[in-house]
Amino acid sequence: AAISALSTVVDSTSLGFGYKPREFDVVCGRGKGSYNRPGNLHMRRIVRTYIDEYLAAKSKLDKSIVLNKVLEEVRSQGDGSAMLVKQNKDGSWMEIGDDQAREKIGHAIREAISAREPSHQKVHQRPIFKAKQEDLLSVQQDMFNQMRRNNTEKNAQAMKQPPNPWSA
């Protein structure tokens, strides 16, 4: 089941019961078992080389082109690696299709961007947030001062007027 760099996998393909993932196959799944496999480590190295190109992409189409480049490079590693998922029902392996592979690679590249620039989005939000916070504080201070003036004026008027014996 060797895959050439130019081949595409339209739909998921069953690889049968006897299939064992090869060294450079990428195993999709959770946990250290799949995360630390040589194929997965190599895929993440490839992904990191495309971060700048992905960030420079202006449109969704441009980003998709970058994801396709990563997919082609992943599939061309070793003896033609595959992106696999293990079936829970019977333990057999399936090669995932191109669409699902691009989704996995997109997730990996966004994860790599977050790891490289953990405050990527927060940096842009802080000045705006701080300005809004300062504006809110100023409005609150103005409201407080106005209430204090109003209370002071009411107290001054109450002191000038004699008490009304009939209002209690």
Side-chain angles (χ1 to χ4, degrees), residues 62-161:
D62 293 337
K63 289 179 189 288
S64 185
I65 290 169
V66 174
L67 298 179
N68 281 331
K69 288 179 183 180
V70 174
L71 180 57
E72 286 178 26
E73 197 168 330
V74 166
R75 286 209 173 127
S76 69
Q77 65 187 345
D79 57 351
S81 71
M83 293 187 70
L84 310 173
V85 63
K86 192 171 191 175
Q87 296 300 105
N88 288 335
K89 295 177 187 173
D90 58 13
S92 66
W93 291 93
M94 290 190 73
E95 182 175 5
I96 63 174
D98 288 351
D99 290 341
Q100 196 174 1
R102 277 189 294 273
E103 283 180 30
K104 300 287 185 183
I105 290 168
H107 177 73
I109 203 162
R110 289 185 297 277
E111 192 174 87
I113 290 167
S114 290
R116 187 175 92 169
E117 303 171 18
S119 59
H120 180 68
Q121 293 177 348
K122 291 179 184 176
V123 169
H124 300 294
Q125 293 174 357
R126 282 189 187 137
I128 294 168
F129 176 75
K130 187 169 182 156
K132 287 182 178 180
Q133 191 176 29
E134 289 170 354
D135 289 346
L136 180 60
L137 186 60
S138 175
V139 168
Q140 288 175 333
Q141 189 66 41
D142 289 345
M143 288 173 60
F144 176 75
N145 289 336
Q146 183 64 40
M147 287 174 29
R148 190 169 33 178
R149 279 192 299 272
N150 289 345
N151 284 339
T152 303
E153 289 172 9
K154 285 181 184 177
N155 288 339
Q157 287 176 356
M159 297 296 276
K160 290 179 184 178
Q161 295 178 354

Side-chain angles (χ1 to χ4, degrees), residues 27-55:
V27 174
C28 302
R30 295 180 178 197
K32 292 180 183 179
S34 59
Y35 189 82
N36 291 327
R37 288 189 47 81
N40 293 50
L41 293 170
H42 190 67
M43 181 194 74
R44 287 195 303 279
R45 277 192 293 274
I46 293 169
V47 161
R48 283 192 298 271
T49 65
Y50 283 93
I51 289 175
D52 292 331
E53 188 175 342
Y54 184 86
L55 288 172

